[in-house]
Amino acid sequence: MKWPLLLTLLALSECTTYKVPLTKKKSLRQNLIENGKLKDFLQNHKYNLGSKYFPSEATTLTSDQPLQNFLDMEYFGTISIGTPAQDFTVIFDTGSSNLWVPSVYCSSTACTNHNRFNPQESSTFKGTSETVSIAYGTGSMTGILGYDTVQVGGISDTNQIFGLSKTEPGSFLYYAPFDGILGLAYPSISSSGATPVFDNMWNQGLVSQDLFSVYLSKDDESGSVVQFGGIDSSYYTGSLNWVPVSSEGYWQITVDSITMSGEPIACIFGCQAIVDTGTSLLAGPTNAIANIQSYIGASEDSYGSMVISCSTIDSLPDIVFTINGVQYPVPAKAYVLQSQGSCMSGFQGMNIPTFSGELWILGDIFIRQYYTVFDRANNQVGLAPVA
């Protein structure tokens, strides 16, 4: 009789999809403003998103490169490591591939204000003699690699390799609302060849599908999720449109064009874009972004931020990304960030090497508008308007 087997398989399929709640918190930028540190931060650290994606070019592109891709980050989730569990707040970052958290070995000021992993308190920890170094421009996150059980949204990911930081770049990370980073990009960009968390989950048969999906709530402090091994149609309307990954490593796709008010403003002959939950803004080439800032009336304030009059939001046009023949409009109320009565442009210019061509980063501003599926099995990204 086949029914018991079928029911068992259905139960297995249902139980191998896991959601991790993401919480909105104050960004590092907001914390620096409140502590009177932002101006000093921006004056001492040249702000260029490009070196996240071209780290070998960081020294030629900018003299200092902090963790600026996380400056405006607001969405964080909780994981635990070890037995018994030690909890950490992390960024689920599709723009990197390593898992690392602060450790008791860390001597940097930044570590003193965060949860730190203590391997001596975990019965399942396995140490190694391997080191890890992830460059961020102002310095590197340096540390050692170890193995332990990582709990992610109900998934018990055993024998997971991760970094235990010994130094972290920049005293400004003291104000960061996260402890560490959980990378969800491809293994090919993982530092020290460490197996990423999602790859380890899939290799152990812990999820039913080789994909994960992200829903970012627009307004609420809660409701956002990253879901491993499944897709939840209640988070989007219509059908998912699938876009092939054009280059494995990052979640990179081809964009047909970028327009405003029906006129091309960038990407006239097509360009590349990286879908990155670890970047809050919409980033593109410096010249193109400068033209957009001028078009929407944004100007630089004393902090180096691009501000805009809140009264103009209703009159500003959508920015439209055409991807694989489908238009994805992002309205002004999405790309103008409002906080405490002030408004800031959600566009960020970045210097990139000439050999890379025109590159854009579709960060959380875009993902808040479009439910996103990261499909490793078919090397494609699924997009649909959020419900």
Side-chain angles (χ1 to χ4, degrees):
M1 187 174 180
K2 295 181 179 180
W3 283 108
L5 176 60
L6 177 59
L7 291 174
T8 300
L9 290 174
L10 287 172
L12 178 62
S13 175
E14 290 176 0
C15 73
T16 49
T17 294
Y18 302 87
K19 292 181 181 179
V20 181
L22 300 180
T23 303
K24 249 185 174 181
K25 295 183 180 181
K26 287 182 180 179
S27 67
L28 176 54
R29 181 189 294 274
Q30 291 171 313
N31 286 338
L32 290 174
I33 289 174
E34 291 177 6
N35 287 276
K37 300 289 185 180
L38 180 62
K39 190 171 184 178
D40 187 33
F41 177 87
L42 294 174
Q43 285 177 343
N44 287 282
H45 304 296
K46 196 166 180 66
Y47 195 83
N48 174 41
L49 283 170
S51 61
K52 177 182 180 181
Y53 311 100
F54 302 97
S56 63
E57 301 291 323
T59 55
T60 58
L61 291 173
T62 174
S63 58
D64 274 328
Q65 183 61 38
L67 282 166
Q68 80 290 328
N69 49 301
F70 303 124
L71 191 59
D72 298 286
M73 179 56 58
E74 296 178 319
Y75 297 93
F76 309 94
T78 300
I79 65 169
S80 62
I81 304 176
T83 309
Q86 301 175 44
D87 291 342
F88 299 91
T89 298
V90 298
I91 296 169
F92 288 86
D93 179 22
T94 58
S96 67
S97 296
N98 290 82
L99 168 63
W100 67 266
V101 295
S103 77
V104 293
Y105 307 129
C106 183
S107 58
S108 300
T109 302
C111 294
T112 63
N113 198 34
H114 293 91
N115 294 326
R116 291 185 283 180
F117 181 74
N118 189 342
Q120 295 183 345
E121 294 183 358
S122 174
S123 62
T124 47
F125 177 78
K126 298 176 185 177
T128 75
S129 59
E130 297 178 78
T131 60
V132 62
S133 178
I134 303 175
Y136 290 106
T138 54
S140 299
M141 186 294 289
T142 64
I144 58 173
L145 291 171
Y147 293 83
D148 211 329
T149 298
V150 177
Q151 298 282 345
V152 184
I155 303 175
S156 185
D157 175 22
T158 60
N159 204 37
Q160 175 62 53
I161 191 169
F162 69 105
L164 296 76
S165 74
K166 297 181 74 174
T167 64
E168 294 185 14
S171 60
F172 291 99
L173 279 184
Y174 177 88
Y175 299 101
F178 57 90
D179 300 312
I181 299 170
L182 192 155
L184 291 169
Y186 284 77
S188 59
I189 63 169
S190 178
S191 180
S192 301
T195 302
V197 168
F198 184 71
D199 288 78
N200 207 40
M201 290 178 182
W202 176 250
N203 293 340
Q204 293 181 49
L206 301 177
V207 290
S208 56
Q209 296 183 73
D210 192 8
L211 56 79
F212 59 94
S213 51
V214 174
Y215 168 77
L216 298 182
S217 172
K218 294 181 182 179
D219 303 310
D220 299 333
E221 292 186 2
S222 59
S224 303
V225 297
V226 56
Q227 181 173 356
F228 294 99
I231 299 169
D232 189 336
S233 60
S234 68
Y235 288 121
Y236 64 89
T237 61
S239 301
L240 285 163
N241 297 308
W242 294 99
V243 185
V245 169
S246 56
S247 179
E248 294 178 24
Y250 299 103
W251 288 94
Q252 184 170 323
I253 60 176
T254 299
V255 176
D256 304 333
S257 65
I258 302 174
T259 60
M260 269 184 161
S261 301
E263 298 295 326
I265 57 168
C267 194
I268 297 173
F269 302 106
C271 59
Q272 294 296 295
I274 293 171
V275 186
D276 186 2
T277 59
T279 296
S280 299
L281 309 179
L282 292 170
T286 303
N287 291 339
I289 294 296
N291 290 336
I292 292 173
Q293 305 286 33
S294 176
Y295 188 81
I296 65 175
S299 59
E300 189 172 346
D301 68 4
S302 59
Y303 291 113
S305 300
M306 299 301 294
V307 296
I308 189 170
S309 172
C310 297
S311 64
T312 64
I313 294 176
D314 290 340
S315 62
L316 293 175
D318 296 351
I319 181 169
V320 180
F321 296 87
T322 301
I323 303 171
N324 208 23
V326 178
Q327 291 189 343
Y328 297 90
V330 177
K333 64 181 180 181
Y335 67 70
V336 176
L337 307 176
Q338 302 183 62
S339 176
Q340 299 177 338
S342 62
C343 291
M344 186 183 81
S345 167
F347 296 103
Q348 176 68 51
M350 61 179 184
N351 296 320
I352 57 176
T354 55
F355 64 78
S356 68
E358 186 176 347
L359 179 69
W360 285 72
I361 310 302
L362 304 181
D364 291 349
I365 287 175
F366 182 86
I367 298 169
R368 272 194 291 269
Q369 303 300 307
Y370 298 99
Y371 180 79
T372 307
V373 181
F374 299 87
D375 184 355
R376 282 286 302 276
N378 300 294
N379 291 319
Q380 60 184 359
V381 174
L383 298 169
V386 295

